[in-house]
Amino acid sequence: MSTLTITHSPAEGTLLEGTSRGDGVNHILRSAPMQWRWSRTLGQFYAPHSRDRIVPNRHGINATAEALRAAGHAVELQLDGEDVRDVAEREQDRAERVANRVDTLTDRSERRAREAAAARQARDQLTEHIPFGQPILRGHHSQRRAERDAERIHNLMGKAIAGDEASRHAADRADSAARVQENRATLSVTLRRIEKLEADERALQRILDGHQRRFLDGRGDVLYVERNEPATGQRRADTTAQLDDVRAQLQYWRAHVATLQAQGEKIWCRADFAKGDWVLHQFGWSPVRRVNPKSLSVPNLHHPNLANDTIGYDRVVGRRAEADAADLIERFGADGYGPR
C-alpha cells in the first residue's frame, strides 16, 4: 500500500497527497465524516471550503486517516496553521478564481450552443428533401432509408435540445457567479458580513474567557447553571488563531465601509426615520409603521390583514419624510397598498 499525506495550510486548504483517481481510495473517502472531492487541476483529492480556514477540521482529518490506515495505507498528517494570507490577498484571489470560473462557464455555454446549432443544421439537411407530412412508405424500396433518416432526425433533435439546455444552464451559472462576486463588496452585504463577524468575535472570546448559561423553568426560576471553563491546550490555541483572523477580517471590511461612505453611500439607522415616513427598499416605497432598533416595520405587501413586514436598515435605499410624501400617498394610498 502507498503512503498518503493529508496536509492543511490556510493558503492551500486540506489536500490528500499520494493517491490518484480510480485507485480505490475514493471508496474509503466516501465513508469519511468529512467531504472530499477530486480536482482535475490539482490532480488530487481536496476538502471543499477548506482554503483560508485557519483551523483545520481535526476531527474529520483524524477520522479519515484512521479509515485509510484500517484499509492498509500508511498516513502522515501535516497540519500547518502558519501560512495565513491577509484578507486583501484572499479577496483578490477569490475575485480571480470567480473570473476564471465565469470565463470557463461562458466558453462552455458558447460551445454547447454551437453544438446545438450544428445538430439543427444537420437535421435541416436531412429533412429538406422530405415533403412535409410525408409518411414512411411501408414495402417501398425507400423504406429502410426513410427509417434511418427518421432515427437520425430524432437523435439530432434530441442533441440540439440537450445542447440548448446545457448552454442555458452554463450561462445561468456564469451569470450567478458574476452577480455574487459583484454583490460581495456592496454596502448592504458588507454590513451584514460585519454583523456576523462581530457575533463570531463575541462567541470566540467567550470560549477563551469561559462563560455560563442559566436555564429557567416556566416561571422564570433557575433550574440549573451550565458553566464552561476557559479553553486550554490545543483548543485555546485554535480559538486564539480564529479570533485573530476574525479581527483581521473586521478591520478590512470596516475600512471598506469607510471607503464607500467617503464615496457618498449612506448607512441608514434608527435615527433617520420616524413613524409615518416612507422608505424605499427593493420592492418599492412603503410607509413606516414602526421604527425598531435594527429594522423598520412596514405594511405586508401581499395582504393588509397579515402581520407587518420588516426591512433591515442595510436594505434601505431611500427615505421620504411624511411631509414630503404627498405624491407617494396619492399613488399608493396612506396604507401603502395602492397599485405598484
Side-chain angles (χ1 to χ4, degrees), residues 30-326:
R30 287 176 186 171
S31 60
M34 65 182 293
Q35 187 179 18
W36 293 90
R37 290 181 185 170
W38 176 260
S39 170
R40 294 180 181 177
T41 304
L42 299 174
Q44 57 191 2
F45 288 97
Y46 72 99
H49 311 299
S50 60
R51 183 178 292 178
D52 291 318
R53 181 169 178 166
I54 305 303
V55 176
N57 181 355
R58 299 184 189 279
H59 171 74
I61 290 173
N62 290 331
T64 300
E66 289 303 316
L68 291 170
R69 289 171 182 143
H73 296 278
V75 182
E76 297 178 356
L77 303 181
Q78 297 178 5
L79 309 182
D80 178 22
E82 301 294 330
D83 188 15
V84 180
R85 303 186 295 178
D86 63 38
V87 183
E89 184 180 355
R90 297 181 217 171
E91 290 301 314
Q92 179 63 29
D93 179 60
R94 177 189 175 91
E96 292 174 356
R97 285 188 282 115
V98 171
N100 291 335
R101 177 173 175 78
V102 170
D103 290 343
T104 300
L105 290 170
T106 301
D107 291 343
R108 183 184 304 172
S109 175
E110 294 173 351
R111 183 177 68 255
R112 297 308 299 268
R114 289 194 298 269
E115 293 174 357
R120 282 193 296 271
Q121 183 178 7
R123 178 205 61 191
D124 293 342
Q125 290 174 351
L126 282 174
T127 58
E128 63 182 3
H129 69 279
I130 302 175
F132 183 74
Q134 173 67 52
I136 295 176
L137 302 177
R138 303 296 177 183
H140 192 267
H141 66 82
S142 64
Q143 177 181 346
R144 293 186 61 187
R145 178 183 175 183
E147 290 174 341
R148 288 196 300 270
D149 287 348
E151 183 177 1
R152 291 185 61 193
I153 291 169
H154 175 78
N155 292 337
L156 288 169
M157 288 179 64
K159 186 176 181 180
I161 293 172
D164 286 335
E165 290 178 351
S167 177
R168 285 193 296 269
H169 181 61
D172 289 344
R173 291 174 65 192
D175 181 63
S176 176
R179 282 189 286 105
V180 168
Q181 181 62 26
E182 181 181 356
N183 292 334
R184 182 173 176 79
T186 60
L187 181 60
S188 59
V189 173
T190 302
L191 291 175
R192 290 195 291 274
R193 183 181 300 112
I194 288 175
E195 185 176 3
K196 180 183 181 303
L197 287 169
E198 288 174 342
D200 292 342
E201 181 184 30
R202 293 191 297 270
L204 292 169
Q205 190 63 57
R206 284 197 299 271
I207 295 174
L208 293 177
D209 297 341
H211 61 282
Q212 64 181 28
R213 295 174 59 193
R214 297 192 309 160
F215 292 84
L216 309 178
D217 60 18
R219 295 172 296 183
D221 298 328
V222 178
L223 286 175
Y224 67 94
V225 177
E226 178 186 86
R227 291 183 172 82
N228 295 275
E229 299 299 324
T232 58
Q234 184 64 57
R235 188 187 183 206
R236 186 170 189 86
D238 289 347
T239 304
T240 301
Q242 288 176 298
L243 182 58
D244 290 342
D245 183 62
V246 166
R247 287 172 173 166
Q249 293 182 62
L250 280 170
Q251 181 180 7
Y252 175 86
W253 290 113
R254 285 167 177 164
H256 179 66
V257 168
T259 300
L260 294 179
Q261 287 181 288
Q263 294 172 354
E265 297 199 37
K266 178 174 177 55
I267 299 179
W268 299 92
C269 64
R270 184 177 190 175
D272 295 317
F273 291 90
K275 182 179 179 180
D277 290 346
W278 284 70
V279 58
L280 177 62
H281 49 87
Q282 59 183 334
F283 300 114
W285 287 97
S286 297
V288 176
R289 287 184 170 175
R290 187 168 62 248
V291 180
N292 309 309
K294 293 188 176 183
S295 65
L296 298 169
S297 296
V298 299
N300 189 292
L301 296 178
H302 302 288
H303 198 282
N305 295 327
L306 297 180
N308 290 339
D309 279 336
T310 55
I311 304 296
Y313 292 115
D314 58 305
R315 299 185 183 277
V316 172
V317 179
R319 167 191 172 272
R320 287 268 198 97
E322 184 176 12
D324 301 326

